[in-house]
Amino acid sequence: MAEEFSLFSQSTLDKLEETVTKEKKDGIEIDKGFILTESYLLEHIELFERYMDLFIAYPDIFLDIIAPSDSNFHLFFYQRIFLRACFRYRYHYVTACRAFSKTFLSILAIYLQCIFLPGTKRFICAPGKNQSAKIAKDKIFEIWDKYPLLKKEIIGEGSFGKDYISLLFRNKSLFDVVGALDSERGGRRHGGLIDEVRDHDGEILNSVVLPLMNVSRRTVLGEVNLNEPNQQQLYMTSAGVKSSYAYMKLIDLLEMQIINPKEAFVWGCDYRVPVMHGLLDRSYIKELQMSPSYNEETFAREYMSVWTGGGEDSWFNFDKLQKYRKLKNPETHFSVRQGTSQFYLLSVDVGRIHDQTVCSVFKVKIQGGKYYCSLVNIFILGKNIKAKTFYQQAIELKRIIRDFKPKEVVIDTNGLGVGFADEMIRTQIDEFGESYPAYGFHNDDTYKKVQPKEALQILYGIKASGSLKSQINGNAYSRLNGGTVRFLITEQSAKNALLETKIGRKMKPEQRIKRLLPHEMTTKLFEEMANLRLKRTGMDIVLESINTRFPDDKYYSFAYGLWRIKELEEESYKRRRRFGNGSGTRKLIFFSGG
C-alpha cells in the first residue's frame, strides 16, 4: 500500500488502512439508520456487478439513482452525452461556450471514475496550479451539495490547500491537482483533465503533463483492463485562436476520430444550447451582440465556440499568413539549380539561458529585380543545457553554414549576440575532433580589426534596437502583406502527405518526427506572430506579447532575415540604376526643348 500512495505520508497511509479495516468490520453508514456491511455486499454481489456494468456505461443513470429525493437538480441531454463520453473514449475534446458547465461535468466524471475504477489515479491541470486547486475545490463542494452520497466514497474530508487538493477514495483511488511545471516530472497518473487547454503552453503539456500517463491502471488481479480508456486525456476549453497549440490538438484528435472513432470523441457547442435550458439569459446575449463596444471576434470565441484566425489585438493577419503556407518540403542542404538567380541566407536571433537561439533559413529567388523568399527551415541551437554555451551553439550554426553555403549569415550582435559573435570569428573543434573554421563580419569595423584575415566574410552584424527595430517590424509587416514570402505547409498536411507515400509509411517514428519538425517550427513561428500586438509608443512600431508565456525568438530571427533581404534588394536596385542593368554603361536620355 505504501508504494501505491507514495505521494502521502506514512501517518496518512496508516489512517487509511485503519479506516478501511474498521469499515470492513463495522460497515459504512450510508444514511441515518442504514449501514452497508461487507456481508450484505457479498450476499448481493451478482446484483451489484450488473449495476456496475450499467453505471460504467451510463454514469448519468447512477447519478439519477443516488440523487436526494427532494433534489430539483437534473442533468440535461448534452450533459448526459458529456458524462458518457468521458467513460467511453480515451480522448475527449470539447470546445464549449460559457455556462456549458464543462469543468463541473469533467470533475464529476473524474470523481465517478475514481469510484468505479479501483486504484485509479486521476488529476486536473489548469494553466496555473493555484487556479487548478481553486477550480477543483469549488466544483467538488458543488458536487457534494448536489449528490451527498458521493462524499461517502472518500476517506475523511479531503485535503484542500492553496495550490493542492487530494482525495483518497475507499477503493484506493486518488484524485489530485497537477501543475504544468517541471517539478511534476516523474509522477504517475492514469488519466486526467486538461482544463482551458487554449491557455496552456503546448511544450510543457507535451513534455511534463502528458508523460505522467505512461502507465495503465491495473486491476486487483494485476492486469490491465483493455475495455477501459487507459491513459485517458480530457480536454475542455473555450475556443481560442487557430495559431495555438489547443487548435492543433483539436485538429489532431478530430482526424483521429475519423480514422479510429472508438478512440476519440470531439465536439462543440455554442450559446444556444445553454440558453435553451435556461443556463444563459437570452436577452443578455442579445445585448452583447448589439453592444458597439463588444468585439465580434471575442463573441465568436466565447459564445459561438468558433476558433478565429488570431487575437483581435494581433498585429499580423493570421488568416492571410495561412494562405502563404505553400511549400511541401523543407530543405536541409544546398540545392540551387544552375542558371537560376537563387541564394540562401541565414538569420540568427541569439538566446542563452531562458531564451532560444533560433536560425531561420531563407531561400531567395531574384525575379524581375524583386527578391522573393521562402522560409525553408528553422533550427533551434543549443536544445539542452550542455549545448547552450556559445561555443557549442557556434558549432551547430557552422554545421548549418556548411550544409547550405549561404551568401550571408545575419546575427543580432546587440546584447547577448556579442558573445555569440565572438565565437563565430574563432575556430571550434567538436566532440568528434572535427574542426570548424572561423568566419568574419563584412560590415562591422570593430570585428574586422580582430577577426582572422583569411576568414570568409559572410557574417552580417545587426544591432536591432530603437528606431532600427521599428523599421524591421514595419518591413516584416510590409513584405508579408505584399505576398513576397512563402512558408512550409502545416504539420498535419505534411503528415498526411507523408503517410500517402511508401517511404513515409516505412519511416520509423523518430525519422517521421525529424521530417515534420520544420513544419512544426513554422507553426510555432505563426503562433508567436499571432501573439504580437502593437504597443502605442509614439511613431515607432514597437511590438509586445499578448500572452507573456509565448516567446518571440522565432519571430525576430525571421524578421532580421527579411530586413537584410530588403537591404540586398535595394543595393541591387541601386546598382542597376547606376550601371544600366549591369551592362557597365550608363543609358542617357536626352530631351529636346519645346
Side-chain angles (χ1 to χ4, degrees):
M1 179 173 284
E3 293 179 357
E4 186 73 19
F5 288 104
S6 57
L7 296 173
F8 301 96
S9 65
Q10 188 60 43
S11 60
T12 303
L13 299 175
D14 293 341
K15 182 180 178 182
L16 173 60
E17 184 73 42
E18 180 184 342
T19 304
V20 173
T21 303
K22 184 178 184 299
E23 288 175 349
K24 282 185 177 181
K25 180 180 178 182
D26 301 333
I28 303 171
E29 185 178 4
I30 300 300
D31 206 348
K32 188 173 182 180
F34 183 82
I35 297 176
L36 182 64
T37 63
E38 186 175 4
S39 60
Y40 182 86
L41 289 173
L42 293 174
E43 184 180 349
H44 301 86
I45 189 67
E46 292 184 4
L47 176 64
F48 288 134
E49 286 177 350
R50 288 202 299 271
Y51 271 122
M52 289 297 287
D53 289 340
L54 174 66
F55 295 156
I56 287 175
Y58 303 97
D60 52 302
I61 294 179
F62 169 74
L63 294 173
D64 293 339
I65 292 174
I66 67 166
S69 58
D70 59 348
S71 173
N72 59 1
F73 177 79
H74 62 280
L75 295 170
F76 300 117
F77 81 96
Y78 75 89
Q79 295 173 328
R80 294 177 183 272
I81 293 173
F82 190 106
L83 288 172
R84 294 177 189 181
C86 287
F87 272 73
R88 299 180 189 184
Y89 295 93
R90 187 178 181 186
Y91 302 99
H92 183 195
Y93 197 116
V94 181
T95 303
C97 63
R98 299 292 181 94
F100 184 86
S101 304
K102 54 185 178 292
T103 304
F104 171 81
L105 293 169
S106 300
I107 292 178
L108 177 58
I110 292 175
Y111 197 105
L112 294 177
Q113 287 174 330
C114 288
I115 295 173
F116 295 142
L117 303 174
T120 191
K121 296 180 181 180
R122 304 275 164 163
F123 69 87
I124 174 177
C125 178
K129 200 169 184 181
N130 290 2
Q131 182 183 354
S132 299
K134 184 180 185 305
I135 291 171
K137 181 181 178 180
D138 292 344
K139 301 307 177 184
I140 288 169
F141 276 87
E142 188 177 348
I143 289 169
W144 287 346
D145 179 63
K146 290 177 170 49
Y147 301 102
L149 276 179
L150 292 182
K151 190 175 181 182
K152 303 284 185 180
E153 296 291 338
I154 68 165
I155 302 296
E157 297 294 318
S159 181
F160 299 91
K162 183 179 179 181
D163 62 352
Y164 70 89
I165 280 179
S166 62
L167 301 180
L168 288 172
F169 288 76
R170 299 178 189 277
N171 62 0
K172 302 181 184 178
S173 289
L174 161 70
F175 177 37
D176 68 351
V177 164
V178 163
L181 305 166
D182 284 338
S183 57
E184 299 289 351
R185 293 180 188 271
R188 288 291 175 264
R189 303 293 187 277
H190 302 128
L193 162 67
I194 313 296
D195 193 41
E196 286 300 345
V197 63
R198 70 174 184 177
D199 296 325
H200 276 278
D201 184 326
E203 288 192 18
I204 294 294
L205 284 181
N206 285 333
S207 62
V208 177
V209 179
L210 298 186
L212 295 175
M213 296 176 280
N214 287 336
V215 179
S216 299
R217 183 191 77 94
R218 293 188 177 272
T219 65
V220 177
L221 299 177
E223 300 171 346
V224 174
N225 182 3
L226 299 179
N227 294 318
E228 70 180 72
N230 292 297
Q231 293 99 29
Q232 187 182 50
Q233 299 169 27
L234 308 178
Y235 294 93
M236 309 300 143
T237 186
S238 302
V241 296
K242 290 181 180 178
S243 59
S244 65
Y245 166 85
Y247 183 74
M248 298 304 168
K249 193 69 178 180
L250 169 64
I251 299 301
D252 182 24
L253 294 183
L254 182 60
E255 291 175 352
M256 182 184 293
Q257 178 181 337
I258 296 169
I259 298 168
N260 190 357
K262 291 184 179 180
E263 285 287 302
F265 185 63
V266 178
W267 58 311
C269 177
D270 65 26
Y271 73 90
R272 288 171 292 184
V273 173
V275 165
M276 181 175 68
H277 293 292
L279 298 176
L280 266 178
D281 185 64
R282 188 183 300 273
S283 61
Y284 174 73
I285 296 296
K286 287 185 177 180
E287 288 174 5
L288 281 180
Q289 288 177 305
M290 298 299 293
S291 173
S293 62
Y294 197 75
N295 187 279
E296 289 185 12
E297 199 166 352
T298 301
F299 184 85
R301 290 199 299 265
E302 298 295 337
Y303 291 96
M304 294 297 293
S305 295
V306 175
W307 293 80
T308 57
E312 61 269 20
D313 296 335
S314 297
W315 198 50
F316 294 101
N317 187 324
F318 179 82
D319 289 328
K320 193 169 185 177
L321 290 176
Q322 285 288 86
K323 296 177 182 178
Y324 300 136
R325 299 193 74 163
K326 303 287 189 181
L327 308 177
K328 293 183 178 180
N329 299 307
E331 297 189 22
T332 57
H333 59 276
F334 179 88
S335 177
V336 173
R337 293 180 183 178
Q338 288 186 348
T340 59
S341 300
Q342 294 181 329
F343 64 88
Y344 288 92
L345 182 138
L346 307 183
S347 177
V348 182
D349 181 53
V350 182
R352 177 64 180 86
I353 304 297
H354 302 294
D355 299 324
Q356 294 178 325
T357 296
V358 182
C359 174
S360 298
V361 182
F362 293 90
K363 190 173 188 177
V364 183
K365 181 180 180 180
I366 307 172
Q367 190 173 3
K370 292 282 290 181
Y371 279 45
Y372 298 91
C373 63
S374 300
L375 186 65
V376 297
N377 214 323
I378 300 175
F379 296 96
I380 305 298
L381 310 183
K383 293 180 181 178
N384 55 58
I385 298 298
K386 291 182 179 179
K388 268 191 172 291
T389 63
F390 285 148
Y391 186 91
Q392 291 296 328
Q393 290 189 29
I395 290 176
E396 291 184 35
L397 180 57
K398 289 179 180 180
R399 286 171 180 162
I400 299 172
I401 293 173
R402 177 194 60 195
D403 294 338
F404 284 96
K405 304 179 180 63
K407 179 177 182 177
E408 285 190 1
V409 181
V410 181
I411 298 176
D412 176 20
T413 54
N414 194 41
L416 279 175
V418 175
F420 183 76
D422 288 345
E423 290 295 340
M424 289 300 296
I425 66 171
R426 299 189 181 105
T427 301
Q428 285 84 28
I429 300 176
D430 67 13
E431 64 273 24
F432 305 108
E434 185 174 352
S435 178
Y436 296 86
Y439 291 97
F441 288 87
H442 66 81
N443 72 318
D444 193 313
D445 293 336
T446 302
Y447 277 108
K448 284 182 179 180
K449 296 175 182 177
V450 295
Q451 64 195 22
K453 301 296 182 183
E454 70 280 5
L456 183 61
Q457 294 186 14
I458 61 171
L459 304 183
Y460 180 88
I462 184 170
K463 294 187 182 294
S465 61
S467 61
L468 177 56
K469 201 164 190 176
S470 172
Q471 295 175 59
I472 289 172
N473 290 329
N475 176 69
Y477 186 88
S478 175
R479 296 190 80 87
L480 286 170
N481 281 280
T484 61
V485 189
R486 292 292 181 267
F487 302 90
L488 293 168
I489 60 176
T490 65
E491 55 267 43
Q492 287 86 8
S493 300
K495 183 179 179 181
N496 293 338
L498 189 63
L499 292 177
E500 288 176 359
T501 65
K502 289 184 179 179
I503 296 176
R505 289 192 294 271
K506 290 181 180 180
M507 277 185 177
K508 295 180 180 178
E510 56 270 22
Q511 291 175 320
R512 193 174 296 131
I513 290 171
K514 185 177 180 180
R515 168 62 181 78
L516 296 174
L517 185 59
H519 301 270
E520 184 181 341
M521 289 294 105
T522 304
T523 296
K524 290 185 180 298
L525 167 64
F526 275 44
E527 288 180 9
E528 289 188 10
M529 288 196 288
N531 188 52
L532 294 171
R533 65 184 170 200
L534 187 63
K535 185 178 180 181
R536 300 186 183 281
T537 55
M539 298 298 292
D540 285 341
I541 301 174
V542 179
L543 302 180
E544 63 178 1
S545 298
I546 299 171
N547 186 334
T548 55
R549 290 197 301 272
F550 281 83
D552 56 14
D553 314 303
K554 297 177 187 65
Y555 164 70
Y556 279 109
S557 169
F558 170 72
Y560 297 154
L562 289 185
W563 176 255
R564 183 54 186 155
I565 291 169
K566 173 246 185 192
E567 288 185 326
L568 291 172
E569 184 179 35
E570 290 178 346
E571 291 171 8
S572 173
Y573 175 73
K574 290 177 181 178
R575 284 196 301 271
R576 290 200 311 274
R577 286 196 61 183
R578 183 175 181 181
F579 296 107
N581 295 321
S583 63
T585 60
R586 298 177 65 183
K587 293 183 178 179
L588 303 178
I589 301 175
F590 296 92
F591 294 91
S592 60

